[in-house]
Each structure stands twice: as structure tokens, then as C-alpha cells.
């Protein structure tokens, strides 16, 4: 019997004999002809197949139109989704055909059966469980449904919530054990209360994966995501495994973190192709903000991937200000997120638990008493039953007759902490003392460190640890030698809370000193742990060390892109600094810490918090520190600019200019002048802004300022596109060699804007593409939204309304995600103009209200421009509704506003709209006058698309051979400059072009 032929690509298998497409073990349903089309493409992977060739092969002997092929390709793209790097599996080669671009391997079912087993299970899944797992049948079924969706390529997040001890971790582990039999890869990660390791659950999961994944396979997966260099600092285990990994190119912190997030998402997607991945994240309520942001990014990744994350968290830990609370609101909106809330066990399950721990001869009433006293909380119930068994109290309870057994009969007072306390009381004094010290160290603790602090004679420390292990209060790590952890957080919390405050402080100091002593020769000491313990012990004379370690730990966190963690650590240093005597040195350190914290918030795009920290730094700054004050004032001008409030920009830039003049620092003065120019631009005084930009650039030649970043936009708004283009090209060339993400994004976007304004549409498209590619790659989301909105304007100008709408929608979504309003307003106005020019004004009603409200929310920020453009949109929408009088009146307002602000583009559009309205009112002479003026104004701008609109309006009113010839020449010039066939088709089929080219 011949072997079955299989074609394997990515996570798919195409079974030619069975005529099936498989995703993992699941059949992907395909219509017969669509399957045939895929089979031909896959069997000819890498080859260009012409449309006619595909029609002949798939529809042999059947007369079909090309549309059948197009629909088949579209269906396949929808079914297959995107590759790991975001591309379509099927590439379109314009005017030639299609190519299947994924690597395809032909094999047989026999060979597939010999593929390797998954990586080993984490030790926590292999550990012997002392107590039977009972109940949770419905929850396991729900988890299985989620897992099935994940295996189908739709990555999933299951949030398992409940109170402490309710069984979240046990349920997750039991589910993972049951799924492990399928041959999947299971990974485990935890979050600790101390938040000493940024991204801890991801780091622990990937560390295990990198440690055990076969090297050849691991190298292939890393190559698929671009080399994996971004992951090496994130997961040191990877560099240990593959020392020759490429280092990522340096870029600003925001861009670096975006690349890291993309790399983690890509790694999970690629790693889940061969075998589905199940990740367990325990105690997510203790996760730091960077972990939560990474989790959100991974779950929102567009790539199809066969993995699921099961994350447990305590609901009782969350208040409105908790980082996880905000993240949950966002995550729950996503279709791939399922929330499972655990409640107490039912009485039948408590009975099963009693039988498991106590045995079949347990007193008849015991199950109900345990149920009543614990509400079915598995951990509480287990602890009570373990206590009864260990103390021999079962016999006493069994002897109660003639009445109901009460909780007092169990010999326990209320609360599980007392239950834990009674278990602790059965341990030796040395063991209790050692565990109290361990509780100060944290949930996990190192035996060597504990011995150094406890100072017990001989082997008493080890004896005490072994005693606690036998009592199942702590467990030894299977991964890290001499590492232990408390079996449950409640045990550690009980011990820690029993300590008086003075004793805690002294113990934290002893822990800190011991860690410092034991790690003094390490190249990378545990700075976050040292910062935490010294800060808790700052009152013991450890202020300087607390501040030093917190600052260093904050710097390390910032270098690792964990900016929230950096801000928290700098704040820890500031709190410790409160205990230091006042004086100039203390104030200088406080200024430095506030400035560092401001940088962290700035890198996160949290500009309000950045302002708060910079203002705090100014408050503590010595009045003699003029240069530092000037730099802080410029930082505040920038932050307020990004917060869309030009009042403070004016205030701080003016102050910075005065200080720079005193210092005779031309570079600082030039930057201050450039920020003042932005205020003039935002207020609509374009002439003054242009003059100030020239002053800034001439004041400090070679110094990059806001004039270089924004000057080309100012000139564009003034209709001076040729002059603007020269500056934009210089700025873009300079930006490309810089590492300033904001400068690069602004410069490339303004280059595309001005290239389009002079009719260089192919070059403009390339510039926008470069900007958007850069923005996506390096995580400059607000600027990416802005570039996308401006790229949409190019498509609108050239009548590619479908392309414009797609980009407008994308820009708004990106801007909302980043909380950056300007692209929402800009893209919204362009959408309104799109609806008007499609003669579909009904779609605009709600959007008009939303866009106007968004524009109003940016008070003082280019209000003149938003109102001018909104007025023009209203005029065009009124004309599209045949509300002619309203259209004429609104267009007149648009013309007046444009002339007052020196905005020739919208003066032209307003004149065209008014001319059409006047013509509809039979005021043809006035309409012709407006149309002629529109042609004249448009011609002066050098914008061929704008000129074409004006010529079309005039020809419709007073056509001449000369005008027709001019219009055709403009039409041909535009057509020849278009970048692709789609835009050429849209332009050719537009109403305007058809009217111009129609025989006269």
C-alpha cells in the first residue's frame, strides 16, 4: 500500500488523498474547488502561477470567469489567516498571477508519526499531590471548550478568579495535567507579591521552553520571528543556550519595548505551530504593570496561534486602582477572553474531600460542619481536616452524640489564619523562628540566605526547613538548588502579620545586609530585592542604601523596558529619601529621582504623570541651578505639547528662552523658540510660526529642534508645499540617521504629506509606507495613528474611497488605543468628506457629532484648523443632502475662515462647494466667479489634485476648449504619478475623471 502524501506548511497539513486541510488535528472545512485551488498552490509553492494557469487546472473544461478565481483566493486568505510575520500565505503579483509564499514540506503520515515528543512538563505538574482533586466538573468542561478554540488557531485567555484558597491553582494544574496527555507543551509562570522580576510569568515560561526545546527547532523558531535578539535580555536562559544570538539595534525605550512585546507574541505563535501551547500564569493579581501590558499585547496579536493562557487571580485583592482591575476591563472586551469565577465546593465534593483525608469512618456530621465553617473553600477545608487528623481530634468529634457538632467541637477558633497558626504551633521553636524570618524574605526564599540570617547553630537551620517541609508548609524547588517556597501565600501572610512592626523592620535590615554580603561579587546583583528590603528598613540608618539600590534597580528596569516598574522603584527611592536629613544634597537627589520618574512616564506616553514629576523636580530645584531649570522647562513644554495644551507650552518655552539667553546656550534657546512657534501654529498664526522656525534653525545650525520636526507641516498648512518639501526632505534625511522615534515619524509623515501636495504620489506613498512600517516595528503607536490618518488623506484626494475608509478606520483604532485625540479628529473629518463625495451623507450623522466632540476636547490645540475643516465637511454634506441654502452658507463660512488663516487648500474646496450650491440656486454668474477664483487659488498651491477639482467645477459651469485641454493635462499628469493599479483604477473610474475625459 502506497504511503499517503501530505503537504505541511506552518501549522497546517494538506492531505491530498483524504482531500482534507488539517489545523493540528482539526479538519478545516473547504468547498471542493477551493480545496483544489489550495492544493495547486501548495504543490507549486514559491512558483508564480498565472491566473489562466490556475483557471485551467482547477476548473478544467468548465467555462468560468476570472471572478471565480478571485473569490477562491479571497476565501483561502480568510480561512488560512496570516503567517507569523503578518503576511498573506498567497501573494498577489499584479497583472501576472498568484504565488504561495509559505515554505511547504512534502512528507507522509508515517514520517509525521515519528515527530518528537513535547518538552518536559514543569516540576509543579509532576509533583505528588497529597490530597485528592474533587469536583469542578463544569469548570473543566468550560476550560476544555476554551482549549479547543485555542487548538483551532484562535489563541485564548482564560481568567480564573476567586478568593484565596478557592482552588484556582489546583484547577489549573489539574487541567494542564489532563491536557498533557495529548502531547502538548505546558509552561508554568508565577507572579510574586514583591514584584522583583518584571514580566515574571512570561520569563519563567519562556525560560523553561528555551531550556528544553531542541536547539535546531529553537533556532528555526527564532529565525521565524526575526532572530530573537530582543528576547535575550528578557530571558537570560536564551543567551545561555545560544550565546551567538544577534543583538537588537538600539532604539528609544518605547520602540524597544514594542519590539520586545512583538517578539514574545511571535515566539508564542511560532512555538505553538508544531504543538499547541498551554501556559499557566499563577497569582496574576501580583503581576506588575509591564506583565499586564505584555499580556494584553500578546492576546491582541493578529497572528493565528494555537496557545491558551490560563491566568489565576484573587478577586479580593483588586480595588479600582489596582493595575489588574484596569487591565481586566480591557481584556474582557476581547472575544478570545473567558472569565471563570470559582465558588466553594458543593457538599458532595466536601464529603469526597473528607473521605480522602480522614477516611471512610469519618463522623457523619463532619462534612456539613466543615462545609458550614469554610463555605466550601478547598484550602480552608483541607487545613481544618489536616489539623483534626494530626491532633487526633477526629475521635473526640466522633464521640459527640445527641446534638449537632459545632465548630467549637473542632477545637478551632474562627479564621483560617488561626488554623494555620495551630499547625505552626506544633512545630519546634527553631522552625517557627526560621519560618518567620523566611516570611520577611518573601514567598520564595533561599536556604543559604535564610541560614545567614537565622544564625542557628550547626544543622538546626536545615533541620528546621526539613521539619517545615514534612509539615507541608513549604516545598523545595525542583529547579533551583536550595530554593524553597511557602506552600500557600496565606501561610506566609499569617507568619508575617504575626511579627510586630519593629521586628519586621529589623529583620528586613538583616535580610538586606545578608543579600548584599552574599551577592557582592555578582556582576548583576538582585537590585530590586535589595531595594525592597533596605527601603523597608530605611529607618534603621539604611536610607542611603535604600535610595541607591532603588535608583539602580529603577535604571535596570528602564533598560529592560519595564517602565512602570522603573517608576515604582524611583518612587520607592523618593519615599526612603523622606527619612534623610534635609539639605542641598538631599534636594538635588530628589530632583534627580523626580526627573528619572518623569522619563519613565514619558516613555510610557503617560504625559500627565510626566508633567507632575517634572514640576516636582522644579519645585525642589535650587534657584541657582539655571541650566537644569532650563532643561526641565523645555521638558515640560514638550510634555504639555503632547498633552495638547499650548498654554503651559507658551509659559515654559518662554521661561526656557529667557534662561537660555542668560546662559548663552544657543541650542537651548533655539529649542525654546521652536516650541513657541508651535504655539503660534496651534493658534492659527502660520506666518508667525514660520518666521520663528526660521529663527530657531538659524540660531543653532545643526541642532535638531521642534522646528525641524514640525516646520514642514506649518509650511504645508500655509500652502507653501514646494518650500515645505525642501525642509521635509532635509528633516527626513536627518531623522533616518537618528534614533529619535518621534522625530523620524513626524519627518517621514510630513515628507509624504508634502510630496502628495505637489503631485509626487508614488514617492508620497513610499514615504507614508516607510513611516507606518517604522511605527509598527518600533511601537510608536500615537505617531503611527497620525501617519495612517495622513496616508488616508492621500487616498481620499485621489478618489480611492475604499482605501481611504480602511485607513481612516485603522487610524482611529490606533489613536483610541493610544489615547491620542488628533488622529481621531483628522481621520474623522476625512471620513465625513468621504461620505459626502460618495453621495452617502446618511452615514455621517453620528460620526459628525463624535468628531466635533473630539475636536472640542482639544481646546487650544489647532481649534482653528479643526473648525475650518469641520465647516467644509458640513458644507459638502449639506450639498450631498441637497440642502443647497445650508451648503452655500456653510461654504461661505469655510471660505472666510480659510482666508483669515491663510489656508488656500480649504479656501479652494469651500469655493468649489459654494459654486455648486449657487449653480443649483440658478445664481450661475456668482457660481462661475467662485469657480474661477478656486482655479486661481488651487493653481498657486501647486497641488494638481486640488486644481483638478476646481477645473472640473468650472468646466461644468463654463466649459471651454482651453479649460478642457488644461484639465486633461492635469488628469494625465496625476495618472502617470499614481503608485499602483488599484489607485489608477479608482482615479480613472471616478466621476471627476470621467467628466474630464468625456468627449465635449
Amino acid at each position: 500500500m502506497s504511503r499517503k502524501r501530505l503537504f505541511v506548511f506552518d501549522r497546517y497539513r494538506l492531505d491530498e488523498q483524504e482531500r482534507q486541510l488539517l489545523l493540528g488535528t482539526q479538519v478545516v472545512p473547504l468547498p471542493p474547488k477551493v480545496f483544489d485551488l489550495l492544493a495547486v498552490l501548495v504543490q507549486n509553492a514559491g512558483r508564480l502561477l498565472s491566473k489562466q494557469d490556475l483557471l485551467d487546472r482547477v476548473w478544467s473544461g468548465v467555462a468560468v470567469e476570472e471572478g471565480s478565481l478571485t473569490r477562491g483566493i479571497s476565501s483561502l486568505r480568510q480561512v488560512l489567516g496570516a503567517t507569523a510575520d503578518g503576511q498573506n500565505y498567497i501573494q498577489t503579483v499584479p497583472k501576472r498571477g498568484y504565488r504561495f509564499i509559505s515554505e511547504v514540506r512534502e512528507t507522509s503520515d508515517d514520517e509525521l508519526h515519528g515527530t518528537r515528543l513535547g518538552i518536559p512538563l514543569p516540576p509543579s505538574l509532576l509533583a505528588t499531590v497529597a490530597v485528592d482533586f474533587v469536583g469542578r466538573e463544569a469548570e473543566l468542561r468550560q476550560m476544555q471548550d476554551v482549549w479547543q478554540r485555542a487548538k483551532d488557531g484562535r489563541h485564548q485567555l482564560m481568567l480564573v478568579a476567586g478568593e484565596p484558597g478557592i482552588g484556582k491553582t489546583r484547577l489549573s494544574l489539574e487541567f494542564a495535567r489532563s491536557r498533557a496527555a495529548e502531547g502538548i507543551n505546558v509552561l508554568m509562570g508565577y507572579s510574586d507579591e514583591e514584584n522583583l522580576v518584571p514580566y515574571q510569568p512570561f520569563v519563567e515560561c519562556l525560560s523553561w521552553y528555551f531550556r528544553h526545546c531542541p536547539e535546531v527547532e529553537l533556532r528555526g523558531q527564532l529565525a521565524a520571528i526575526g532572530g530573537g535578539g530582543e528576547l535575550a535580555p528578557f530571558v537570560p536562559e536564551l543567551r545561555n543556550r545560544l550565546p551567538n544570538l544577534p543583538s537588537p539595534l538600539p532604539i528609544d525605550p518605547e520602540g524597544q519595548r514594542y519590539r520586545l512585546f512583538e517578539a514574545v507574541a511571535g515566539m508564542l505563535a511560532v512555538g505553538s505551530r508544531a504543538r499547541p501551547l498551554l501556559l499557566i500564569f499563577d497569582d496574576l493579581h501580583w503581576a506588575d504593570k509591564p506583565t499586564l501590558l505584555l499580556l494584553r499585547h500578546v492576546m491582541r496579536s493578529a497572528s493565528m496561534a494555537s496557545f491558551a493562557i490560563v491566568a489565576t487571580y484573587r478577586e479580593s485583592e483588586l480595588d479600582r486602582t489596582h493595575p489588574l482591575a484596569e487591565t481586566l476591563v480591557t481584556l474582557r472586551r476581547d472575544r478570545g477572553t473567558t472569565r471563570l469565577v470559582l465558588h466553594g465546593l458543593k457538599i458532595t465534593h466536601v464529603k469526597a474531600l473528607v473521605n480522602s483525608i480522614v477516611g471512610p469512618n469519618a463522623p457523619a456530621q463532619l462534612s456539613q460542619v466543615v462545609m458550614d465553617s469554610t463555605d466550601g473553600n478547598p484550602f480552608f477545608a483541607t487545613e481544618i481536616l489536616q489539623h483534626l487528623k494530626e491532633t487526633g481530634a477526629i475521635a473526640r468529634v466522633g464521640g459527640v452524640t445527641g446534638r449537632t457538632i459545632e465548630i467549637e467541637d473542632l477545637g478551632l477558633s474562627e479564621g483560617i489564619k488561626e488554623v494555620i497558626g495551630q499547625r505552626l504551633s506544633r512545630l519546634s521553636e527553631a522552625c517557627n523562628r526560621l519560618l518567620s524570618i523566611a516570611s520577611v524574605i518573601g514567598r520564595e526564599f533561599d536556604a543559604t540566605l535564610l541560614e545567614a540570617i537565622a544564625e542557628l547553630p550547626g544543622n538546626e537551620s536545615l533541620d528546621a526547613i526539613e521539619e517545615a517541609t514534612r509539615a507541608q508548609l513549604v516545598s523545595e524547588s525542583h529547579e533551583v538548588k536550595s530554593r524553597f517556597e511557602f506552600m500557600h501565600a496565606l501561610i506566609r501572610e499569617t507568619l508575617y502579620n504575626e511579627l510586630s512592626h519593629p521586628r519586621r523592620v529589623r529583620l528586613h535590615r538583616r535580610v538586606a545586609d545578608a543579600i548584599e554580603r552574599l551577592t557582592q561579587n555578582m556582576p548583576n546583583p538582585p537590585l530590586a530585592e535589595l531595594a525592597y528590603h533596605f527601603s523597608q528598613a530605611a529607618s534603621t540608618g539604611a536610607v542611603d542604601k535604600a535610595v541607591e539600590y532603588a535608583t539602580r534597580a529603577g535604571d535596570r528596569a528602564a533598560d529592560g523596558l519595564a517602565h512602570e516598574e522603573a517608576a515604582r522603584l524611583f518612587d520607592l527611592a523618593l519615599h526612603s529619601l523622606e527619612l534623610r536629613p534635609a539639605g542641598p544634597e538631599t534636594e538635588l537627589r530628589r530632583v534627580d529621582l523626580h526627573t528619572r520618574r518623569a522619563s519613565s512616564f514619558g516613555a510610557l506616553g503617560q504625559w500627565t504623570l510626566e508633567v507632575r514629576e517634572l514640576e516636582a523636580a522644579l519645585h525642589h530645584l535650587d534657584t541657582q541651578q539655571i541650566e537644569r531649570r532650563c532643561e526641565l522647562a523645555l521638558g515640560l513644554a514638550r510634555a504639555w505639547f503632547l498633552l495638547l495644551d499650548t498654554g503651559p507650552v507658551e509659559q515654559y518655552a518662554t521661561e526656557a528662552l529667557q534662561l537660555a539667553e542668560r546662559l548663552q546656550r544657543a541650542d537651548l534657546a533655539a529649542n525654546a523658540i521652536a516650541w513657541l512657534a508651535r504655539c503660534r501654529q496651534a493658534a492659527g498664526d502660520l506666518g508667525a510660526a514660520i518666521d520663528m522656525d526660521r529663527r530657531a534653525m538659524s540660531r543653532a545650525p545643526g541642532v535638531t529642534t521642534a522646528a525641524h520636526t514640525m516646520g514642514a507641516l506649518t509650511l504645508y498648512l500655509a500652502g507653501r508645499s514646494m518650500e515645505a518639501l525642501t525642509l521635509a526632505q532635509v528633516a527626513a534625511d536627518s531623522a533616518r540617521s537618528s534614533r529619535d522615534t518621534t522625530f523620524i515619524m513626524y519627518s517621514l509623515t510630513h515628507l509624504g504629506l508634502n510630496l502628495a501636495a505637489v503631485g509626487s504620489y508614488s514617492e508620497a506613498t513610499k514615504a507614508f509606507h516607510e513611516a507606518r512600517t517604522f511605527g509598527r516595528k518600533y511601537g510608536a503607536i500615537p505617531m503611527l495613528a497620525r501617519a495612517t490618518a495622513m496616508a488616508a488623506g492621500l487616498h481620499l484626494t485621489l478618489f480611492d474611497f475604499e482605501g481611504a475608509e480602511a485607513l481612516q478606520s485603522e487610524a482611529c483604532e490606533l489613536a483610541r488605543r493610544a489615547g491620542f485625540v488628533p488622529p481621531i479628529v483628522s481621520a474623522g473629518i476625512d471620513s465625513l468628506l468621504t461620505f459626502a463625495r460618495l453621495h452617502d451623507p446618511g452615514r455621517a450623522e453620528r460620526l459628525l457629532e463624535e468628531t466635533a466632540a473630539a475636536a472640542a476636547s482639544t481646546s487650544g490645540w489647532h481649534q482653528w484648523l479643526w473648525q475650518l475643516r469641520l465647516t467644509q465637511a458640513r458644507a459638502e454634506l449639506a450639498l450631498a443632502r441637497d440642502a443647497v441654502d445650508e451648503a452655500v452658507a456653510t461654504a461661505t463660512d469655510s471660505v472666510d475662515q480659510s482666508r483669515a488663516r491663510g489656508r488656500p487648500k480649504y479656501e479652494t474646496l469651500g469655493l468649489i462647494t459654494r459654486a455648486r450650491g449657487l449653480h443649483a440656486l440658478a445664481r450661475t454668474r456668482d457660481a462661475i466667479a467662485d469657480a474661477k477664483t478656486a482655479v486661481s487659488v488651487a493653481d498657486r498651491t501647486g497641488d494638481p489634485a486640488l486644481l483638478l477639482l476646481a477645473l472640473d467645477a468650472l468646466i461644468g459651469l463654463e466649459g471651454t476648449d482651453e479649460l478642457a485641454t488644461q484639465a486633461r493635462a492635469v488628469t494625465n499628469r496625476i495618472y502617470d504619478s499614481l503608485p499602483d493599479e488599484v489607485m489608477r483604477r479608482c482615479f480613472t473610474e471616478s466621476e471627476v475623471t470621467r467628466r474630464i475625459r468625456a468627449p465635449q
Side-chain angles (χ1 to χ4, degrees):
M1 182 177 177
S2 62
R3 295 190 302 175
K4 184 189 295 186
R5 290 178 69 199
L6 297 171
F7 297 89
V8 180
F9 60 95
D10 261 7
R11 56 197 178 281
Y12 292 103
R13 286 183 294 155
L14 189 141
D15 188 332
E16 189 178 41
Q17 180 177 320
E18 299 293 335
R19 292 183 59 79
Q20 288 181 337
L21 176 66
L22 301 171
L23 176 62
T25 59
Q26 301 299 309
V27 176
V28 180
L30 290 176
K33 287 299 179 185
V34 176
F35 178 86
D36 293 340
L37 177 58
L38 178 60
V40 171
L41 288 166
V42 167
Q43 291 168 16
N44 292 275
R47 291 181 52 200
L48 174 63
L49 299 176
S50 70
K51 294 180 180 179
Q52 190 57 53
D53 189 12
L54 286 168
L55 287 169
D56 291 343
R57 293 192 190 203
V58 178
W59 288 273
S60 177
V62 180
V64 295
E65 297 180 352
E66 189 177 301
S68 298
L69 174 60
T70 305
R71 286 189 293 273
I73 294 291
S74 177
S75 297
L76 285 174
R77 284 174 173 164
Q78 290 180 0
V79 168
L80 296 175
T83 62
D85 56 2
Q87 299 185 63
N88 287 319
Y89 284 92
I90 304 170
Q91 178 189 53
T92 300
V93 182
K95 297 185 177 180
R96 298 187 64 189
Y98 300 98
R99 178 187 289 117
F100 194 81
I101 65 170
S102 181
E103 182 180 347
V104 176
R105 177 170 60 93
E106 183 176 349
T107 184
S108 69
D109 52 353
D110 292 336
E111 291 170 343
L112 282 181
H113 289 157
T115 54
R116 70 169 186 86
L117 296 174
I119 65 173
L121 290 175
S124 53
L125 291 174
L126 298 174
T128 302
V129 181
V131 179
D132 290 349
F133 179 70
V134 298
R136 305 301 188 199
E137 293 86 0
E139 291 87 349
L140 288 169
R141 285 194 296 271
Q142 188 174 353
M143 296 178 80
Q144 177 57 34
D145 291 341
V146 170
W147 177 241
Q148 187 60 53
R149 291 196 292 273
K151 290 199 299 181
D152 291 343
R154 295 171 289 167
H155 53 284
Q156 300 286 305
L157 172 64
M158 168 155 274
L159 298 165
V160 183
E163 65 179 0
I166 201 66
K168 305 178 293 295
T169 302
R170 182 68 184 274
L171 173 66
S172 302
L173 293 176
E174 291 297 331
F175 178 75
R177 289 188 185 102
S178 67
R179 296 305 98 199
E182 300 175 1
I184 69 169
N185 287 329
V186 181
L187 306 175
M188 285 288 302
Y190 300 85
S191 296
D192 291 330
E193 186 176 9
E194 294 79 15
N195 276 329
L196 301 180
V197 180
Y199 311 110
Q200 183 178 347
F202 282 100
V203 170
E204 291 181 353
C205 285
L206 290 177
S207 293
W208 184 263
Y209 186 86
F210 292 153
R211 189 179 309 156
H212 296 285
C213 184
E215 183 173 335
V216 173
E217 186 173 343
L218 179 58
R219 288 187 181 277
Q221 292 172 356
L222 292 172
I225 63 169
E230 295 85 1
L231 294 173
F234 177 68
V235 185
E237 184 72 31
L238 181 58
R239 182 72 70 183
N240 296 337
R241 185 83 188 280
L242 304 175
N244 60 344
L245 272 182
S247 297
L249 294 175
I251 194 66
D252 64 52
E254 184 180 358
Q256 287 177 359
R257 182 156 77 167
Y258 183 78
R259 290 198 311 191
L260 169 63
F261 283 15
E262 284 288 284
V264 173
M267 191 66 222
L268 294 179
V270 171
S272 68
R273 288 178 185 170
R275 291 179 178 275
L277 278 173
L278 176 60
L279 296 86
I280 308 297
F281 285 3
D282 202 25
D283 289 335
L284 196 64
H285 51 275
W286 281 330
D288 57 7
K289 189 66 177 293
T291 297
L292 300 176
L293 291 175
L294 178 53
L295 176 62
R296 184 177 68 181
H297 186 96
V298 165
M299 295 315 303
R300 289 186 168 181
S301 173
S303 301
M304 288 188 66
S306 298
F307 70 83
I309 297 176
V310 176
T312 71
Y313 70 96
R314 294 182 188 174
E315 286 187 307
S316 59
E317 296 284 338
L318 307 188
D319 56 28
R320 289 183 300 173
T321 62
H322 195 287
L324 180 57
E326 178 185 352
T327 304
L328 290 177
V329 172
T330 304
L331 289 172
R332 287 173 190 166
R333 297 194 190 112
D334 296 342
R335 295 180 62 185
T337 300
T338 303
R339 183 166 175 260
L340 176 61
V341 180
L342 297 188
H343 301 288
L345 298 173
K346 297 178 180 179
I347 184 62
T348 54
H349 301 138
V350 173
K351 287 180 178 178
L353 194 63
V354 169
N355 188 61
S356 169
I357 297 173
V358 179
N361 297 322
Q365 301 181 46
L366 182 59
S367 297
Q368 190 62 55
V369 176
V370 172
M371 179 72 181
D372 293 341
S373 60
T374 66
D375 289 326
N377 183 295
F379 176 74
F380 293 177
T382 300
E383 288 297 313
I384 287 176
L385 292 170
Q386 294 278 24
H387 169 71
L388 291 173
K389 183 178 181 180
E390 291 172 2
T391 60
I394 293 294
R396 186 182 69 251
V397 172
V400 175
T401 59
R403 61 177 178 87
T404 303
I405 298 176
E406 303 291 344
I407 186 67
E408 291 78 13
D409 294 316
L410 303 181
L412 302 172
S413 58
E414 297 182 18
I416 193 62
K417 289 185 179 181
E418 187 169 349
V419 173
I420 295 172
Q422 292 189 28
R423 292 191 66 192
L424 291 169
S425 68
R426 292 189 291 274
L427 302 176
S428 67
E429 181 181 347
C431 184
N432 271 279
R433 186 165 64 251
L434 201 75
L435 290 178
S436 294
I437 298 172
S439 75
V440 174
I441 297 174
R443 172 76 182 273
E444 295 184 358
F445 55 91
D446 184 83
T448 304
L449 174 62
L450 189 58
E451 282 187 275
I453 302 165
E455 298 176 348
L456 292 174
N459 294 323
E460 282 193 29
S461 292
L462 292 177
D463 292 341
I465 292 175
E466 290 174 356
E467 182 183 355
T469 303
R470 289 193 300 272
Q472 299 184 23
L473 292 170
V474 302
S475 63
E476 185 174 5
S477 169
H478 294 275
E479 283 297 300
V480 182
K481 186 179 179 181
S482 299
R483 191 78 170 175
F484 292 82
E485 69 172 324
F486 287 100
M487 292 288 288
H488 197 284
L490 290 175
I491 298 172
R492 185 252 174 183
E493 290 172 11
T494 300
L495 287 159
Y496 189 77
N497 290 333
E498 286 178 350
L499 298 170
S500 66
H501 178 72
R503 187 173 295 277
R504 286 185 206 167
V505 170
R506 285 198 293 271
L507 284 173
H508 276 294
R509 179 59 189 266
R510 288 169 61 187
V511 172
D513 289 338
I515 294 175
E516 186 179 49
R517 185 173 64 255
L518 292 170
T519 62
Q520 59 184 339
N521 296 321
M522 288 185 178
N524 294 303
L527 298 177
E529 292 182 42
L530 287 163
Y532 169 69
H533 290 293
F534 273 121
S535 68
Q536 295 297 312
S539 61
T540 65
V543 171
D544 288 343
K545 287 189 175 184
V547 172
E548 176 193 353
Y549 282 120
T551 303
R552 290 172 60 191
D555 289 339
R556 179 185 286 180
D559 291 341
L561 314 180
H563 300 297
E564 293 90 351
E565 179 68 3
R568 184 186 71 81
L569 287 161
F570 293 139
D571 189 52
L572 194 67
L574 282 165
H575 280 291
S576 297
L577 205 60
E578 295 294 331
L579 298 174
R580 187 177 183 179
E585 187 179 346
T586 299
E587 290 298 277
L588 187 62
R589 196 66 182 266
R590 187 172 280 115
V591 170
D592 177 68
L593 287 167
H594 280 300
T595 304
R596 289 171 189 257
R597 202 159 188 251
S599 297
S600 296
F601 288 130
L604 292 165
Q606 296 178 11
W607 300 307
T608 300
L609 295 176
E610 180 185 12
V611 165
R612 187 188 71 186
E613 294 301 317
L614 288 171
E615 288 179 340
L618 270 180
H619 174 73
H620 293 286
L621 186 67
D622 189 294
T623 55
Q624 302 301 313
Q625 297 285 328
I626 299 175
E627 183 174 337
R628 188 73 177 271
R629 184 174 186 86
C630 184
E631 292 169 346
L632 289 171
L634 287 171
L636 280 161
R638 173 192 172 276
W640 278 112
F641 175 80
L642 294 167
L643 284 170
L644 317 182
D645 192 343
T646 54
V649 179
E650 180 92 30
Q651 172 192 337
Y652 285 112
T654 299
E655 180 184 356
L657 180 57
Q658 294 169 351
L659 295 172
E661 298 289 9
R662 288 175 59 187
L663 293 164
Q664 297 184 337
R665 285 283 300 274
D667 55 337
L668 297 177
N671 210 12
I673 293 169
W675 285 121
L676 288 170
R678 308 285 67 77
C679 296
R680 305 297 173 269
Q681 175 185 319
D685 192 348
L686 299 179
I690 291 169
D691 289 341
M692 295 183 79
D693 279 338
R694 286 175 176 163
R695 281 177 54 200
M697 288 185 282
S698 63
R699 184 71 180 271
V703 175
T704 300
T705 68
H708 297 81
T709 308
M710 301 296 295
L713 175 63
T714 311
L715 290 166
Y716 165 82
L717 293 174
R720 296 158 65 171
S721 292
M722 290 305 300
E723 187 180 348
L725 181 58
T726 301
L727 177 58
Q729 288 171 330
V730 172
D733 289 341
S734 175
R736 288 186 181 104
S737 61
S738 76
R739 293 178 179 176
D740 187 332
T741 301
T742 302
F743 183 31
I744 293 171
M745 290 297 294
Y746 268 122
S747 299
L748 291 175
T749 303
H750 295 162
L751 177 61
L753 195 66
N754 283 288
L755 284 167
V758 300
S760 298
Y761 302 114
S762 291
E763 289 78 5
T765 301
K766 291 176 183 177
F768 282 129
H769 176 73
E770 183 181 357
R772 296 178 66 222
T773 301
F774 182 90
R776 278 192 294 268
K777 183 175 182 180
Y778 295 107
I781 304 302
M783 296 299 102
L784 173 59
R786 184 175 183 271
T788 303
M790 291 188 175
L794 170 64
H795 289 259
L796 171 62
T797 297
L798 298 170
F799 315 119
D800 177 14
F801 299 120
E802 183 178 346
E805 285 195 65
L807 289 170
Q808 290 155 6
S809 176
E810 181 183 346
C812 287
E813 174 60 29
L814 288 167
R816 289 190 184 98
R817 193 199 317 173
F820 192 53
V821 177
I824 297 174
V825 180
S826 181
I829 293 172
D830 277 350
S831 293
L832 296 172
L833 293 170
T834 300
F835 298 154
R837 296 173 192 181
L838 286 170
H839 310 290
D840 192 6
R843 295 172 64 191
E845 184 174 346
R846 181 177 178 182
L847 178 62
L848 180 57
E849 294 179 4
E850 293 174 351
T851 305
S857 72
T858 62
S859 177
W861 177 268
H862 291 85
Q863 281 291 305
W864 66 274
L865 181 59
W866 299 146
Q867 293 308 318
L868 186 157
R869 295 185 64 205
L870 275 168
T871 301
Q872 178 59 31
R874 288 189 175 99
E876 294 193 30
L877 287 166
L879 192 63
R881 296 195 312 269
D882 292 326
V884 181
D885 290 328
E886 179 187 344
V888 170
T890 311
T892 299
D893 189 10
S894 176
V895 172
D896 291 344
Q897 289 186 49
S898 299
R899 287 173 175 167
R901 299 297 186 180
R903 187 76 170 97
K905 175 179 177 179
Y906 278 86
E907 179 185 353
T908 301
L909 294 174
L911 287 165
I912 293 170
T913 305
R914 189 168 70 180
R916 296 190 186 282
L918 289 169
H919 179 62
L921 294 172
R923 295 170 56 185
T924 304
R925 181 178 299 178
D926 293 336
I928 291 172
D930 272 355
K932 286 183 176 179
T933 305
V935 170
S936 176
V937 175
D939 195 33
R940 290 198 301 271
T941 67
D943 186 336
L946 187 63
L947 178 59
L948 182 64
L949 291 175
L951 287 168
D952 175 56
L954 183 56
I955 290 171
L957 298 169
E958 189 183 52
T960 66
D961 290 342
E962 182 181 355
L963 284 173
T965 300
Q966 182 185 3
R968 290 193 186 99
V970 174
T971 301
N972 292 337
R973 176 190 166 190
I974 294 173
Y975 182 87
D976 291 341
S977 297
L978 295 176
D980 56 48
E981 189 60 37
V982 172
M983 296 190 77
R984 283 191 283 271
R985 176 179 55 78
C986 292
F987 180 75
T988 302
E989 295 176 357
S990 69
E991 295 176 350
V992 173
T993 304
R994 289 204 305 269
R995 283 196 295 265
I996 295 296
R997 289 181 170 176
Q1000 300 297 316

